[in-house]
Amino acid sequence: MCLQRFPIHADRMKRLPAIAALLLAASPTGAFADWVPAESLPASRQKEWTKAAPLPFTPTPEGFKAFVNRRDFGFKVLKAERCEFMEGRALIKHISESPCIGKPAYDIWSADKNVYECFRTFYETRDPLGVQLICMGIVWYFTEGTTPEQLNPTEGLHKTTKKNDCRWP
């Protein structure tokens, strides 16, 4: 009933979805762009990036346990379970110039990564007073390549104790 009394407004109301679609089509495409693997970029857009170094052990629970126990990380792995190897490719997302903000076009990079994570790891450690503890937690090792924003490759071992789950042997 309202639309019949005001035919001019009714026409405008019908055109709103079409106007919204046109505005979305005219907006910067970078806002809706997908991540693209860095190795498939044209040579003119490739910047400095490297692949992640391979893991320094065979990605098995036994290989992981032997690697950790050969080095001095401050703990000794007793048993590693529910382990998983994850590989992440270097990705890039190009963000186009935004006329409303005035920010020039730029790229967002994610580095190439290799991660080996054991979600249930029993390990032996010592508290600050030197008391021996057996703990359970998540332990992971990663290697990461470089990007234009992160110029140094990184790697390292990390652990997180689940819910402060440590006991005396």
Side-chain angles (χ1 to χ4, degrees), residues 64 68 73-77 117-118 121-126 135-141 156-162 166:
F64 182 64
V68 173
F73 289 116
F75 64 99
K76 180 181 175 186
V77 172
E117 184 170 29
C118 292
T121 308
F122 295 91
Y123 55 91
E124 183 179 272
T125 189
R126 296 192 179 277
C135 301
M136 197 237 340
I138 300 171
V139 180
W140 69 96
Y141 187 86
L157 181 75
H158 298 280
K159 67 177 171 49
T160 302
T161 304
K162 292 184 179 180
C166 290

Side-chain angles (χ1 to χ4, degrees), residues 48-49 111-113 142 144-154:
E48 294 291 321
W49 69 276
D112 193 65
K113 295 179 185 178
F142 76 96
E144 194 171 72
T146 63
T147 69
E149 292 85 20
Q150 174 189 315
L151 300 176
N152 296 320
T154 56

Side-chain angles (χ1 to χ4, degrees), residues 3-168:
L3 293 178
Q4 292 173 350
R5 289 180 67 197
F6 304 102
I8 296 173
H9 296 293
D11 284 340
R12 287 184 184 161
M13 296 288 280
K14 289 178 186 175
R15 282 187 254 152
L16 278 178
I19 292 170
L22 283 173
L23 287 175
L24 281 175
S27 69
T29 58
F32 303 104
D34 289 327
W35 289 93
V36 176
E39 62 262 15
S40 38
L41 287 175
S44 61
R45 282 200 40 222
Q46 280 189 6
K47 296 181 182 177
E48 294 291 321
W49 69 276
T50 60
K51 290 195 156 292
L55 294 175
F57 55 89
T58 56
T60 62
E62 297 79 25
F64 182 64
K65 178 181 170 184
F67 169 75
V68 173
N69 292 342
R70 275 194 311 263
R71 289 172 174 69
D72 184 21
F73 289 116
F75 64 99
K76 180 181 175 186
V77 172
L78 303 173
K79 187 175 185 182
E81 300 174 347
R82 294 182 30 214
C83 299
E84 185 177 323
F85 174 67
M86 295 164 277
E87 193 173 23
R89 296 193 308 183
L91 298 173
I92 184 171
K93 186 174 192 176
H94 183 71
I95 306 296
S96 298
E97 179 181 348
S98 175
C100 59
I101 299 173
K103 189 172 182 178
Y106 60 99
D107 294 332
I108 298 174
W109 286 78
S110 73
D112 193 65
K113 295 179 185 178
N114 290 324
V115 180
Y116 190 76
E117 184 170 29
C118 292
F119 295 96
R120 185 175 158 97
T121 308
F122 295 91
Y123 55 91
E124 183 179 272
T125 189
R126 296 192 179 277
D127 72 3
L129 298 175
V131 177
Q132 184 178 349
L133 299 171
I134 305 292
C135 301
M136 197 237 340
I138 300 171
V139 180
W140 69 96
Y141 187 86
F142 76 96
T143 62
E144 194 171 72
T146 63
T147 69
E149 292 85 20
Q150 174 189 315
L151 300 176
N152 296 320
T154 56
E155 60 183 285
L157 181 75
H158 298 280
K159 67 177 171 49
T160 302
T161 304
K162 292 184 179 180
K163 296 181 184 176
N164 201 18
D165 191 8
C166 290
R167 311 249 188 283
W168 294 278

